[in-house]
């Protein structure tokens, strides 16, 4: 009868070699005498062998029947012939088997891993009974971790069980995919299961202290060499090596997980995790082999393996975490319970459980932030009503000043402007303080809208203040306001760091008496001991450049210590960012440009096409227009920055000998800067070479060309801001994005977004997807909340859901008193999230 199982080659060979070693005595084994065992084994030839071989196989078996009567030399011949024959047959057999395998699809399956909980329980139970674990327990007191490892974990700021549970993996290694050895592809992380073919140690020829362990595993599709490296003298010990080898006897089934590499000897697994299975169908019990492994941020003394074991040791305590979210809310937003989420984020059962765990934890991060921001908004509004008298003045949009302003305006407000004005006036008419942010592209007409709000304050008998982040911007606002307000005979003053002391005193007095209704300024507005007679409205421009504290400080100068706040920003930011940064504000968008604005023709040029750019500049300047040239910030040094600006300035003097060229950079004194801007504004210079300082509100309507060098180094949002410097007059304007010869194709493609769109919100969204939220906001204010898992780019949907959930809670229960656990979590998380962020 042919057999379906492979013959036990090892056992047969072993029997033959022992018989030879002992001098052919026809040894007595446990059950059979040598010749009986061989006769029996050879009686059933494997069906994989060709017919001829099968016959030889049987004949050989028959010859062993008379082994007992053979002379020693006859015995020796038969044994030797059998050993050779067996080796030969083994090769034939394996070849046939592997051909059969090839016609089958690749085995890709999850290796038979034991459930991690079982493994974890075994590990933990050895030291600690799960019941003796508790969330506030110091890690040093968790027996399975121990004092020494506990101390090491403290280096990562992990002191207690709960902190370790909330120390989420930053990545994963996927060893769950099992492949056949014949299908190994370099670069993949995989698990292979094979039988030990050989196992040896040798020392490196280059470095005698380096011991190399080499294991060859085979499966029916091929074999793979696995190497592990041991540095140090103690690994050269033959006793140690012997003990190691004993773990990998020939024929043992081993699961190996690692990264497949290819070297000159073929495909290998370098330093993989290995587990010897109890038998060929055995389950994998190790916490690494065959699994999706969490990858944690580590530090010196804390290895990946130690970290995984520590997390596994405390994982049972996840069950003790109390769920702060009501069941209904969890059901509505389809969220798994918190203990499960914590367990599964570390050692997920499968990718679906991982997704669900992550979704829940991301939701939490967004939810508590939104809940905190909304509660803050509610408190701000409340503060007006709780006070015995109306804290913020009710300001009316109905009145002479606003009417007269509309009548002298040479244009109609756009639909978007009208809508935003309505929203603002609606807020102002209430005694609860307004906290509204107006977002709108450069030139969308925010200033006009702000003027309406300021006039509403004045006609209601109150004062107004406008604060801008830089002197240049404050000066510009002042100029604009003077223009409008003079027509209405309303005085305005400007207060900045460079305001002369005498002027400063005069302003202080006029503010206090109420003679001066409007003040424009920089931080000086909050730094100076400025006292208002009756401040009703504060307008803050580019509000993201101020912290919450600074804004609050100005607001406190209001009558009764509070007033309405109107914030403005020309930095369009994506909705997810807006919710994260301004979740406590009401947001209005001016998403429509005044009519007749011509799109700025935007072109991406490479260095070779520079001449085209210069021709355009010549044409425009000859027609009486002006041009900006902007150089990128050189990150490494401000000195280099200025050097490149100065060099470009000198170079352009050669290129355009007949034009006057100006220079503007960050190291100039504010007087020098003002002078440079003034010369450009009055067209005494036709070309202004500048570093990015120009981004911050230089307003010269006669400028029609914006040439940006090394444009690939800028973010899209920043390019959009720069481009907004032109196209401010009625003339057709141009933006040229020069790319460096070495700019990547990707970078050039990114710039094409600029050529295609003028919509600041769209560009900001693209920018965020390409570079991440921190970059969109600019390095100066990267103070986004510190999320452990959540991404503003990838988890947009969850953020919107979390916002929605938080709104529902606040509407019903603005102080969150009905859900004590949720409230406790909120206090803890909100403070944490805001730590170091600009929201504080
Ligand atoms: P922003 O502050 O949003 O950059 P401004 O308020 O300074 O924009 O307006 C830019 C220019 O557009 C100004 O010259 C302003 O007078 C003009 N402007 C504003 N609103 C309109 C409108 N509805 N129609 C025509 N021109 C407008
Ligand atoms: Mg403006």
């Amino acid at each position: 009868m042919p057999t379906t199982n492979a013959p036990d080659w090892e056992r047969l060979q072993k029997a033959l070699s022992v018989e030879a070693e002992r001098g052919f005595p026809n040894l007595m084994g446990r059950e059979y005498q040598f010749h009986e065992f061989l006769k029996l084994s050879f009686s059933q030839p494997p069906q994989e062998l060709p017919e001829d071989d099968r016959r030889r196989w049987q004949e050989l078996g028959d010859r062993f029947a008379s082994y007992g009567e053979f002379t020693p030399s006859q015995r020796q011949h038969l044994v030797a012939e059998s050993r050779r024959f067996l080796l030969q047959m083994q090769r034939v057999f394996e070849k046939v088997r592997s051909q059969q395998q090839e016609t089958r699809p690749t085995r890709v399956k999850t290796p038979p891993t034991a459930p991690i909980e079982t493994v974890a329980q075994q590990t933990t139970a050895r030291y600690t009974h799960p019941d003796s674990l508790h969330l506030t327990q110091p890690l040093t007191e968790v027996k399975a971790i121990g004092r020494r490892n506990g101390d090491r974990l403290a280096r990562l700021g992990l002191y207690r069980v709960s902190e370790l549970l909330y120390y989420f993996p930053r990545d994963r290694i996927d060893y769950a995919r099992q492949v056949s050895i014949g299908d190994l592809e370099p670069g993949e992380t995989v698990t292979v299961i094979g039988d030990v073919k050989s196992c040896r140690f040798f020392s490196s020829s280059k470095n005698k202290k380096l011991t190399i362990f080499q294991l060859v595993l085979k499966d029916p599709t091929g074999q793979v060499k696995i190497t592990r490296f041991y540095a140090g003298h103690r690994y050269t010990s033959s006793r140690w090596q012997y003990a190691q080898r004993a773990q990998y006897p020939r024929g043992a089934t081993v699961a190996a997980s690692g990264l497949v590499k290819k070297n000159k000897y073929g495909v290998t697994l370098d330093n993989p995790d290995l587990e010897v299975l109890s038998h060929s169908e055995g389950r994998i019990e190790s916490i690494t082999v065959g699994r999706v492994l969490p990858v944690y941020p580590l530090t010196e003394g804390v290895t990946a393996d130690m970290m995984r074991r520590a997390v596994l040791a405390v994982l049972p305590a996840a069950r003790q975490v109390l769920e702060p979210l009501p069941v209904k809310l969890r059901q509505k937003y389809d969220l798994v319970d918190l203990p499960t989420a914590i367990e599964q984020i570390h050692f997920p059962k499968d990718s679906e459980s991982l997704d669900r765990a992550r979704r829940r934890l991301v939701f939490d991060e967004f939810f508590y932030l939104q809940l905190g921001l909304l509660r803050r908004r509610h408190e701000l509004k409340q503060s007006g009503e709780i006070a015995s008298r109306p804290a913020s003045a009710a300001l009316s949009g109905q009145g002479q000043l606003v009417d007269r302003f509309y009548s002298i305006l040479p244009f109609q407000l756009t639909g978007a402007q009208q809508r935003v004005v309505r929203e603002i006036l609606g807020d102002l008419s209430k005694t609860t303080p307004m906290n509204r942010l107006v977002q709108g592209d450069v030139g969308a007409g925010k200033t006009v809208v702000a003027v309406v709000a300021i006039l509403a304050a004045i006609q209601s008998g109150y004062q107004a203040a406008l604060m801008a982040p830089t002197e240049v911007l404050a000066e510009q606002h002042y100029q604009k306001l003077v223009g409008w307000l003079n027509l209405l005979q309303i005085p305005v003053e400007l207060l900045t760091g460079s305001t002369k002391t005498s002027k400063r005193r005069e302003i202080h007095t006029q503010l206090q008496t109420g003679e001066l209704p409007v003040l424009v300024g920089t931080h000086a507005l909050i730094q100076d001991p400025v006292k208002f007679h009756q401040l009703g409205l504060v307008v803050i421009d580019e509000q993201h450049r101020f912290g919450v504290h600074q804004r609050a400080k100005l607001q406190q100068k209001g009558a009764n210590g509070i007033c309405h706040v109107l914030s403005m920003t020309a930095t369009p930011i994506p909705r997810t960012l807006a919710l994260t940064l301004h979740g406590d504000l009401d947001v209005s968008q001016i998403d429509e440009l005044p009519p007749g604005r011509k799109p700025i023709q935007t072109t991406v040029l490479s260095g070779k096409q520079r001449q085209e750019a210069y021709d355009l500049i010549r044409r425009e300047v000859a027609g009486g227009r002006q041009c900006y040239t902007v150089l990128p910030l050189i990150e490494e040094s401000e000195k280099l920055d200025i050097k490149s600006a100065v060099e470009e300035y000198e170079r352009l003097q050669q290129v355009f000998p007949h034009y006057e060229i100006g220079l503007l950079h960050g190291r100039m004194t504010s007087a020098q800067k003002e002078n440079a801007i003034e010369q450009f504004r009055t067209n005494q210079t036709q070309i202004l070479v500048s570093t990015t300082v120009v981004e911050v509100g230089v307003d010269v309507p006669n400028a029609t060309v914006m040439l940006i060098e090394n444009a690939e180094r800028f973010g899209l949002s920043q390019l959009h801001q720069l481009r907004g410097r032109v196209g401010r007059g009625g003339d057709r304007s141009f933006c040229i994005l020069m790319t460096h010869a070495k700019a990547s194709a990707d970078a050039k493609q990114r710039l094409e977004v600029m050529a295609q769109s003028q919509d600041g919100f769209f560009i900001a969204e693209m920018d965020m997807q390409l570079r991440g939220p921190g970059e969109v906001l600019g390095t100066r204010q990267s103070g986004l909340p510190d999320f452990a898992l959540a991404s503003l780019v990838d988890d947009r949907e969850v953020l919107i859901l979390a916002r929605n959930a938080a709104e529902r809670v606040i509407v019903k229960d603005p102080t969150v008193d009905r859900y004590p656990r949720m409230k406790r979590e909120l206090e803890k998380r909100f403070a944490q999230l805001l730590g170091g962020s600009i929201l504080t």
Side-chain angles (χ1 to χ4, degrees), residues 252-544:
T253 304
V254 170
S257 293
L259 175 68
V260 183
K261 289 189 182 168
K262 198 182 165 100
N263 62 22
K264 59 182 169 177
Y265 305 110
V267 171
T268 68
L269 288 175
D270 255 6
N271 281 325
D273 290 310
L274 300 175
E275 181 178 340
V276 181
L277 305 185
S278 54
H279 52 94
S280 59
E281 301 295 313
R283 282 203 307 191
I284 297 178
E285 304 279 348
S286 140
I287 66 164
T288 53
V289 178
R291 298 182 192 280
V292 176
L293 290 186
V295 176
Y296 298 95
L298 303 172
T299 190
E300 210 195 316
V302 182
T303 65
D305 192 56
M306 174 193 143
M307 192 60 158
R308 285 175 196 137
R309 285 178 194 284
V311 171
L312 271 175
V314 300
L315 212 51
R319 285 285 135 208
Q320 298 166 23
V321 173
L322 295 176
E323 173 62 77
L325 299 186
V327 182
K328 266 198 183 154
L329 188 149
R330 267 178 32 220
Q331 280 169 349
K332 181 163 172 52
Y333 295 97
D334 190 24
L335 302 168
V336 289
D337 63 286
L338 191 52
T340 304
I342 292 173
E343 279 170 1
Q344 296 295 310
I345 196 77
H346 290 288
F347 289 92
K349 203 163 67 212
D350 48 39
S351 59
E352 198 200 323
S353 343
L354 172 61
D355 288 347
R356 291 182 58 76
R358 191 178 175 281
R359 185 170 176 278
R360 164 63 203 261
L361 297 169
V362 166
F363 181 92
D364 280 11
E365 288 190 63
F366 286 143
F367 176 74
Y368 291 109
L369 177 66
Q370 294 304 324
L371 197 62
L373 290 171
L374 289 169
R375 189 178 58 167
R376 185 145 92 186
R377 181 170 77 168
H378 178 83
E379 281 164 1
L380 272 170
K381 292 201 163 149
Q382 214 55 31
S383 64
E385 282 152 20
I386 293 166
S388 52
R389 48 191 172 138
S392 67
L395 308 177
S396 172
Q398 308 288 302
Q400 259 211 345
L401 281 181
V402 172
D403 289 348
R404 273 173 60 205
F405 179 62
Y406 284 143
S407 69
I408 57 169
L409 258 187
F411 48 75
Q412 274 248 305
L413 293 187
T414 61
Q417 281 172 317
Q418 286 175 27
R419 190 187 66 235
V420 174
V421 164
R422 263 201 311 278
E423 287 165 350
I424 293 171
L425 292 180
D427 290 349
L428 291 179
S429 67
K430 296 183 188 132
T431 54
T432 54
M434 168 172 77
N435 248 307
R436 185 170 289 278
L437 171 67
V438 174
Q439 283 192 304
D441 247 327
V442 176
K446 296 178 294 296
T447 314
V448 180
V449 167
V451 170
V452 176
I454 289 170
L455 293 175
I458 299 172
Q459 71 188 7
S460 309
Y462 287 86
Q463 292 164 296
L466 190 159
M467 181 164 73
T470 65
E471 286 196 17
V472 174
L473 268 177
E475 165 78 29
Q476 251 168 49
H477 280 295
Y478 172 71
Q479 299 288 358
K480 273 193 199 160
L481 257 61
V482 167
W484 297 117
L485 298 182
N486 269 354
L487 295 171
L488 302 166
Q489 288 90 44
I490 296 167
V492 195
E493 288 293 355
L494 176 67
L495 182 72
T496 69
S498 23
T499 308
K500 296 228 167 56
T501 319
S502 53
K503 182 72 190 169
R504 199 176 279 262
R505 287 216 191 94
E506 193 190 313
I507 292 175
H508 288 179
T509 317
Q510 289 184 346
L511 279 177
Q512 227 161 354
T513 59
E515 249 175 289
L516 180 62
V518 185
L519 179 65
V520 178
T522 54
H523 295 83
L525 291 191
I526 37 180
Q527 279 152 5
D528 272 30
V530 178
K531 281 213 185 75
F532 290 83
H533 174 61
Q534 270 212 316
L535 181 64
L537 170 71
V538 159
V539 180
I540 298 174
D541 191 29
E542 295 299 326
Q543 59 92 37
H544 57 277

Side-chain angles (χ1 to χ4, degrees), residues 596-644:
R597 212 49 70 74
K598 294 190 185 80
I600 299 157
Q601 192 187 313
T602 305
T603 325
V604 182
L605 292 183
S606 66
K608 276 181 252 159
Q609 299 162 297
R610 182 173 293 280
Q611 214 43 55
E612 273 177 53
Y614 289 161
D615 288 346
L616 174 74
I617 292 173
R618 270 189 204 99
R619 234 176 21 242
E620 288 295 302
V621 176
R625 312 283 166 235
Q626 291 164 273
C627 165
Y628 294 100
T629 297
V630 178
L631 302 165
L633 200 73
I634 296 170
E635 306 244 335
E636 309 85 66
S637 108
E638 197 182 348
K639 261 193 199 147
L640 276 180
D641 235 31
I642 292 159
K643 183 165 169 267
S644 78

